[in-house]
Amino acid sequence: MSKNQLDQKSQAWSALFSEPMSDLVKRYTSSVFFDKRLWQSDIQGSLAHAEMLAAQKIISSQDFADIQRGMAQITDEISKGQFDWKLDLEDVHLNIEARLTQIVGDAGKRLHTGRSRNDQVATDVRLWLVSEIDLISALLNDLQRSLVEVAEDHVEVILPGFTHLQVAQPVSFAHHLLAYVEMFARDAERMADVRRRTNRLPLGSAALAGTTYPLDRERVAKSLGMVDEHGQACVSQNSLDGVSDRDFAIEFTAAASLCMVHISRLSEELILWMSQNFGFVKIADRFTTGSSIMPQKKNPDVPELARGKTGRVVGHLMGLITLMKGQPLAYNKDNQEDKEPLFDTVDTLKDTLRIFSEMIGGQINVLSGKKEGGMTVNAEAMQAAAKKGYATATDLADYLVKKGLPFRDAHEVVAHAVKTAQSENLDLSELPLANLQKFNPAIEKDVFECLSLVGSLKARNTLGGTAPDQVRLQIASHHARLGF
Ligand code: ARG
C-alpha cells in the first residue's frame, strides 16, 4: 500500500503508523455511532474555546469568524440529517473537526490549539449531562405534581397501611401518595447536587498536564454557563483529574438508580393494587395490554416494565463504577465506555418519569384545560380492605393507655380481644360493648369512635402523621414548594 492510500485509510494522526486498522478494530474502537449524539455540546464547546483563543490572540479574529461560519454550516447539516458521519474518523470530535477543515481550511486546523480530545470529551459529556439533568428535574417536578393532585382529591379515602404486607393501620390514600412525593423530592435534590459537580469545566487540561498556551479557562467556563450560584466560573483545578474524572457520571447514575428504585416500588404497589384481589386502582387502558390467549386480561405492562428497567439502570451504575476502578491517571480509552450506559440511563429515566406522570395524573385536555385519563381510585374497595385485618387494634390499645393501663398490658388485652373477634369472624368495632368490657372494664361507649377507621385516622394528628389535617398541611407545603 502506498503512503497516500495509507493516509486515506487510517486515522487523522497517521504519519507515524505503518499499517491501517482492520475493519474489526475500527468498529471496535470507534464511538461515532453513539457519541454523535453529543454533537451540539461538541460544537458549543469548540465555539467557546475558539472565542477564547481569539480573545487571547492565540488565533486571529478571522480564524474565529471562519470557525463560526463553518460550525453554523455543520449545525445545519447535522440538523437536516445531511452530515456524513464517518466510522473512519472514529468519534464525534474528529468527524466535526474534519468537516470544519473541509469547509473553512486552515482555521479549522487551528481550532485544536491548546486542546486535546481528552479535555474536549470530558467537557462535552458534562455539558450534555447538565442539560439533561435540567430536563429530568422538570420531569421530577411534573411527577410530584401529578401525585399531589391525585392526593388532593383523596385525603379522606382510607386504605389499609401495611407492614410486612400484613394489614397494619388505616392510612389516608393521599398520605400514601405523598410518601412518594417525598422520595421524588429527594431525587430532585440529588439531581441538583449532581448538577453542581457536573457543571465544571475540564477544558484547558489539554491531554493531561495543561497547555503551553495562555488560555483563559474562566472565560470559557463563563461562556458555557459553567458558573456557580454567585456567577463565579467553575473550572477543574487539576488537569490530570480534569481529563479522567467520571465521578459525575457515576453519581448521576447512582441518583438515577435511586429514582428508578422509587418508581419501581410505586410500580410494585400499582401492580398489587390493580390485581383483582385488591382492586384499589385502575390505570388507563393505554398503559396496559391484553393477553393473546386470555381474553379477560388487562396487564399492567407499564409498571412492570418500569420495575424491570430499574434493573437495567442499576446495571449501568455497576458498569460505570466498575469501569473506573482499575484506571491509573490520567485519561484511558476505557472512558469511552462511559457513554452508552450514561445515555441509556438518561433515556430510560426520562421516558419512565414522563410516562408515570401521565399515567398517574392524566393528560391536559386542550379544550377543557383539565387533566383527564389519570389513575382512578376505588375508595370502597380500599375501605373494605381496611376493615379486614383489625387495622384499629393499636387504637384500642392506645385507648386503654389513656385510661391508665401500661402500654404492654393494653397490648395484651387487645390481643385477646382480636383473638375472640377472629373466632367470631367480626371486626373489633362489631363486638358488643359488653363483650369488649369483659377484656377490660375501663372500656366505655366512646371506644367505638377510636375503633372506626375515620377515628383512627384523625387521631394520628402529629407532624408527618396520616390525620387528614396533617395531610392537608403537607399538600399545601408541596404546592408552595413546587409552585402550583
Ligand atoms: N472518543 C473518545 C472518548 O470517548 C474521545 C477521547 C479520545 N482520546 C484519546 N486519547 N484517544 O473517550
Side-chain angles (χ1 to χ4, degrees):
M1 192 180 286
S2 75
K3 163 100 181 43
N4 203 14
Q5 277 173 315
L6 189 64
D7 276 351
Q8 277 172 16
K9 288 217 118 197
S10 58
Q11 310 279 350
W13 50 84
S14 68
L16 196 65
F17 290 75
S18 56
E19 60 174 9
M21 259 185 192
S22 73
D23 285 345
L24 176 60
V25 174
K26 234 184 257 174
R27 190 161 54 72
Y28 194 74
T29 56
S30 76
S31 54
V32 65
F33 287 107
F34 53 85
D35 69 15
K36 65 180 175 187
R37 123 172 227 182
L38 294 172
W39 69 271
Q40 274 165 311
S41 309
D42 193 66
I43 291 178
Q44 200 191 350
S46 288
L47 286 174
H49 179 67
E51 190 275 337
M52 178 275 295
L53 290 179
Q56 295 294 96
K57 312 234 175 316
I58 301 167
I59 63 171
S60 70
S61 49
Q62 184 56 52
D63 282 337
F64 175 48
D66 289 345
I67 290 170
Q68 277 183 304
R69 174 172 56 83
M71 288 303 195
Q73 183 175 328
I74 293 173
T75 300
D76 193 51
E77 289 173 3
I78 300 177
S79 312
K80 291 186 176 143
Q82 291 163 353
F83 191 90
D84 184 16
W85 297 102
K86 294 194 177 88
L87 187 76
D88 275 16
L89 289 169
E90 201 182 304
D91 57 24
V92 60
H93 323 291
L94 294 176
N95 267 271
I96 290 180
E97 194 187 320
R99 178 73 184 126
L100 180 71
T101 302
Q102 236 176 28
I103 301 169
V104 303
D106 281 355
K109 296 189 196 159
R110 293 201 180 95
L111 170 64
H112 214 51
T113 313
R115 183 175 81 166
S116 151
R117 275 188 303 155
N118 298 352
D119 55 348
Q120 184 179 359
V121 68
T123 302
D124 290 5
V125 178
R126 283 171 184 267
L127 277 175
W128 174 82
L129 188 57
V130 164
S131 64
E132 293 294 336
I133 288 175
D134 290 341
L135 297 176
I136 288 166
S137 302
L139 291 171
L140 274 167
N141 274 11
D142 289 348
L143 177 55
Q144 290 178 70
R145 185 176 170 157
S146 288
L147 286 161
V148 172
E149 282 169 348
V150 178
E152 258 167 340
D153 295 337
H154 299 92
V155 174
E156 314 236 353
V157 170
I158 299 175
L159 82 163
F162 296 95
T163 60
H164 314 270
L165 207 55
Q166 307 284 315
V167 170
Q169 290 171 355
V171 293
S172 144
F173 185 54
H175 192 57
H176 197 113
L177 293 179
L178 293 186
Y180 285 99
V181 175
E182 295 288 331
M183 296 179 223
F184 295 124
R186 289 196 296 277
D187 289 327
E189 278 176 27
R190 264 185 286 275
M191 286 295 167
D193 203 40
V194 173
R195 187 192 194 282
R196 276 196 306 116
R197 278 183 293 278
T198 303
N199 202 28
R200 252 173 227 171
L201 183 79
L203 205 64
S205 304
L208 74 166
T211 176
T212 54
Y213 300 94
L215 304 188
D216 182 351
R217 298 186 62 206
E218 294 189 346
R219 183 184 182 104
V220 179
K222 283 186 183 158
S223 72
L224 291 174
M226 290 179 145
V227 291
D228 65 15
E229 60 277 24
H230 310 294
Q232 296 296 314
C234 297
V235 174
S236 66
Q237 300 291 306
N238 179 298
S239 58
L240 297 164
D241 183 47
V243 291
S244 62
D245 164 34
R246 295 293 182 275
D247 296 10
F248 69 92
I250 297 171
E251 50 170 322
F252 167 78
T253 313
S257 295
L258 258 179
C259 182
M260 286 298 293
V261 165
H262 294 150
I263 297 253
S264 188
R265 296 184 70 187
L266 177 56
S267 299
E268 175 64 13
E269 302 218 86
L270 289 171
I271 294 162
L272 281 174
W273 291 344
M274 286 168 67
S275 79
Q276 286 74 7
N277 293 333
F278 282 74
F280 288 0
V281 300
K282 278 195 182 132
I283 56 174
D285 283 357
R286 62 188 185 284
F287 301 106
T288 62
T289 59
S291 154
S292 55
I293 175 168
M294 296 167 283
Q296 84 282 15
K297 297 266 280 183
K298 240 183 226 175
N299 296 327
D301 282 30
V302 166
E304 287 175 303
L305 271 173
R307 195 174 53 183
K309 285 175 192 286
T310 301
R312 170 173 170 158
V313 171
V314 173
H316 292 326
L317 169 61
M318 294 306 119
L320 282 175
I321 202 161
T322 311
L323 177 69
M324 283 315 289
K325 75 174 273 299
Q327 288 195 48
L329 287 175
Y331 175 85
N332 302 283
K333 187 80 165 183
D334 312 39
N335 283 338
Q336 185 164 288
E337 287 290 305
D338 65 355
K339 291 176 196 60
E340 286 164 295
L342 192 59
F343 294 165
D344 190 67
T345 298
V346 164
D347 293 340
T348 307
L349 182 59
K350 281 199 317 196
D351 284 351
T352 307
L353 289 171
R354 229 175 247 141
I355 234 169
F356 266 63
S357 182
E358 192 194 316
M359 188 171 70
I360 288 165
Q363 237 178 348
I364 297 207
N365 176 329
V366 272
L367 295 177
S368 68
K370 292 210 172 107
K371 278 197 179 173
E372 50 193 46
M375 178 171 82
T376 50
V377 175
N378 185 341
E380 290 76 45
M382 289 186 180
Q383 168 118 357
K387 282 194 173 147
K388 289 185 214 153
Y390 305 96
T392 57
T394 318
D395 295 86
L396 180 55
D398 289 341
Y399 173 89
L400 288 169
V401 167
K402 279 176 204 144
K403 300 272 175 183
L405 242 70
F407 182 76
R408 281 288 159 230
D409 294 342
H411 187 280
E412 191 56 19
V413 168
V414 177
H416 284 293
V418 168
K419 200 170 173 195
T420 303
Q422 269 173 342
S423 68
E424 294 175 22
N425 208 11
L426 293 173
D427 181 42
L428 282 177
S429 63
E430 291 163 340
L431 289 177
L433 181 61
N435 289 14
L436 284 169
Q437 283 168 333
K438 280 187 207 147
F439 299 106
N440 192 288
I443 297 178
E444 292 171 86
K445 224 171 92 197
D446 62 349
V447 72
F448 291 106
E449 204 174 301
C450 86
L451 289 180
S452 77
L453 295 178
V454 173
S456 165
L457 211 68
K458 267 201 190 142
R460 286 173 169 72
N461 198 4
T462 43
L463 175 67
T466 192
D469 285 350
Q470 291 297 330
V471 174
R472 286 198 185 91
L473 283 176
Q474 292 299 327
I475 288 175
S477 92
H478 290 307
H479 264 282
R481 180 175 60 80
L482 296 165
F484 73 99

